[in-house]
Amino acid sequence: MLGEQTLTNRPIYLDCHATTPVDQRVLEAMLPFFTENFGNPASINHIYGWEAEAAVKAARQTLADAINATPEEIIFTSGATEANNLAIKGVAEAYFSKGRHIITVQTEHNAVLDPCNYLRSLGFDITLLPVQPDGLLDLNQLEKAIRPDTILVSVMAANNEIGVLQPLAEIGAICRNANILFHTDAAQALGKIPLNVDAMKIDLLSMTGHKIYAPKGIGALYVRRRNPRVKLSPQLHGGGHERGMRSGTLYTPQIVGFAKAVEIALTEQESENQRLTQLRQRLWEQLSQLEGIYLNGHPTQRLAGNLNISVEGVDGAALLLGLQPVVAISSGSACTSTKTTPSHVLIALGRSEQLAYASLRFGIGRYNTEEEIDQVAQSAIATISSLRRQPLLNSSATH
Ligand SMILES: *Cc1c(COP(=O)(O)O)cnc(C)c1O
């Protein structure tokens, strides 16, 4: 499907952890809500409002069912960044008289780390747990970090760089026993692995649409309503939408598309995970024929479509530049306006700066084919081999 839309000669898209295209079925479900059914779901006096409200209600039910929650526990947001901010700052404000200690992990997304850093500047105490070399959290370390004044533990479900899946049920049990709220950023996990907020004892869960073939700009936060009932301070004040926890007119077309995307992802989850695992293995088998290629993250406790490798003896920037015409992927470095820094996730795994810079994150998705994987593998092997043959050119490249 994507192939039809893609102009020839554009690089193969293997960056599905960054974002995904909108599925045609999602787009079709959304379209009527831009034009004929354009009503405001909060308009209670006429059919335009009622129609929109009915669509939002059905979507809310779909999202709740996807994680074994109830519809009243779903708050729509603009994405996972907003959901994480609402969860972390909202809990911090509501519980600060109980305690000011929050536990999270070094390998979290910046949408968790930055709200925590902000809270630190306000006087909260933040513990950043390290991870093991495979990216998994050490549960003993988590237990040891818990204090009487701990109010929240935030651990992501699936990592956006290395795909590693944290043991949510075990973490949830530890938190519930200690009477501490458990938040998980499930932006990469929703629709890809089974999520059950009751079985996993999750109290808050962040979601987003654009990683699962829905549009950008829509997400949700699950907030537990019973056993325990989570208190949350709203971060957006206004018309009192979403039971006062997130004011702002609901974005009906995006909400409808988000629910459709979740429905498709769940229906296809098992078969798609098998297909993606095969593609990932096909890619890894070819790449690992080269010397000095290292897999980042746990070999099996990871998202089916994720492969993250570090490459010895090449410059990270030169590697990415060489691959750019063939494949759209991300590397393990983040460019800010002034400098390039190695991925904080790969550094947390204990990788050297060189290996953290010279890394590639492959995010394989719904529209990728075996032929594309083979083409990318061949191109990567050729690029790496050629860079290794040119040590001077290679080492003179700058970050
Ligand atoms: C993409 C992503 C986010 C940010 O989500 P947005 O909806 O783009 O705000 C947060 N956390 C993780 C793990 C992600 O992959």
Side-chain angles (χ1 to χ4, degrees):
M1 203 176 287
L2 184 68
E4 290 162 16
Q5 300 162 8
T6 309
L7 299 170
T8 47
N9 294 330
R10 290 182 84 201
I12 295 163
Y13 190 79
L14 279 186
D15 202 12
C16 288
H17 303 302
T19 196
T20 55
V22 172
D23 188 298
Q24 195 68 37
R25 293 167 288 183
V26 169
L27 179 64
E28 270 156 30
M30 292 172 65
L31 284 175
F33 294 92
F34 287 105
T35 49
E36 304 99 85
N37 306 341
F38 62 87
N40 184 335
S43 300
I44 55 170
N45 298 318
H46 51 70
I47 190 162
Y48 297 88
W50 304 333
E51 280 171 355
E53 164 59 15
V56 168
K57 190 175 173 206
R60 204 186 291 279
Q61 185 72 55
T62 302
L63 277 166
D65 290 344
I67 58 170
N68 193 26
T70 62
E72 300 73 37
E73 296 174 312
I74 302 296
I75 298 171
F76 287 110
T77 65
S78 62
T81 300
E82 189 192 333
N84 287 341
N85 272 269
L86 177 56
I88 294 166
K89 295 188 217 162
V91 163
E93 275 184 36
Y95 290 84
F96 79 97
S97 57
K98 182 183 171 222
R100 299 181 191 187
H101 180 231
I102 294 173
I103 300 172
T104 185
V105 186
Q106 287 175 357
T107 50
E108 291 292 311
H109 193 278
N110 281 331
V112 165
L113 295 176
D114 286 355
C116 286
N117 283 335
Y118 169 72
L119 289 172
R120 181 182 279 138
S121 78
L122 297 184
F124 281 79
D125 201 0
I126 310 292
T127 297
L128 274 185
L129 293 174
V131 291
Q132 304 173 103
D134 61 8
L136 285 169
L137 185 61
D138 178 346
L139 297 177
N140 289 324
Q141 291 220 9
L142 170 62
E143 280 186 306
K144 277 193 217 133
I146 291 174
R147 312 190 315 212
D149 61 339
T150 309
I151 52 170
L152 179 69
V153 168
S154 182
V155 180
M156 74 202 317
N159 188 277
N160 50 296
E161 290 189 34
I162 53 175
V164 164
L165 308 175
Q166 297 293 354
L168 298 181
E170 285 84 348
I171 298 168
I174 291 170
C175 294
R176 189 62 58 82
N177 278 341
N179 215 1
I180 296 165
L181 297 177
F182 173 33
H183 165 250
T184 188
D185 175 352
Q188 296 285 346
L190 180 71
K192 296 171 195 159
I193 60 165
L195 291 170
N196 183 327
V197 292
D198 270 346
M200 295 168 164
K201 300 186 168 58
I202 295 165
D203 300 309
L204 302 116
L205 181 146
S206 301
M207 305 172 247
T208 190
H210 74 101
K211 311 284 171 74
I212 52 165
Y213 312 91
K216 295 156 193 60
I218 187 68
L221 179 67
Y222 156 77
V223 185
R224 178 173 288 282
R225 293 252 284 176
R226 39 185 284 276
N227 306 323
R229 183 186 180 92
V230 176
K231 288 182 290 175
L232 206 59
S233 283
Q235 303 297 306
L236 282 182
H237 302 88
H241 306 80
E242 302 297 86
R243 297 189 337 283
M245 290 209 253
R246 201 279 190 180
S247 287
T249 300
L250 289 174
Y251 195 176
T252 316
Q254 308 293 92
I255 290 170
V256 168
F258 187 18
K260 184 69 184 174
V262 166
E263 196 184 294
I264 295 169
L266 291 184
T267 310
E268 300 177 354
Q269 185 169 280
E270 234 174 281
S271 57
E272 180 65 354
N273 276 344
Q274 275 177 18
R275 197 185 71 88
L276 291 175
T277 302
Q278 278 168 10
L279 290 180
R280 179 185 80 207
Q281 278 167 352
R282 197 179 174 94
L283 184 57
W284 173 241
E285 274 160 22
Q286 296 179 66
L287 295 176
S288 59
Q289 284 169 5
L290 285 177
E291 300 284 312
I293 305 280
Y294 305 101
L295 178 70
N296 292 318
H298 194 282
T300 53
Q301 269 297 101
R302 67 192 302 141
L303 291 171
N306 175 278
L307 184 70
N308 191 310
I309 61 165
S310 282
V311 184
E312 204 169 66
V314 303
D315 177 83
L319 177 59
L320 210 60
L321 207 65
L323 286 173
Q324 247 164 29
V326 177
V327 58
I329 40 174
S330 289
S331 75
S333 59
C335 296
T336 63
S337 54
T338 50
K339 63 177 190 337
T340 309
T341 51
S343 149
H344 69 279
V345 174
L346 299 183
I347 294 293
L349 301 187
R351 289 294 187 213
S352 66
E353 282 216 357
Q354 187 273 322
L355 285 180
Y357 274 121
S359 69
L360 298 171
R361 175 186 74 175
F362 299 92
I364 312 167
R366 187 172 287 169
Y367 304 110
N368 292 122
T369 62
E370 280 189 359
E371 294 72 50
E372 287 181 331
I373 293 297
D374 292 349
Q375 213 179 318
V376 168
Q378 280 162 24
S379 163
I381 290 168
T383 306
I384 293 166
S385 308
S386 135
L387 284 174
R388 283 176 175 169
R389 280 195 302 271
Q390 311 164 24
L392 271 178
L393 203 147
N394 189 20
S395 64
S396 69
T398 54
H399 295 295

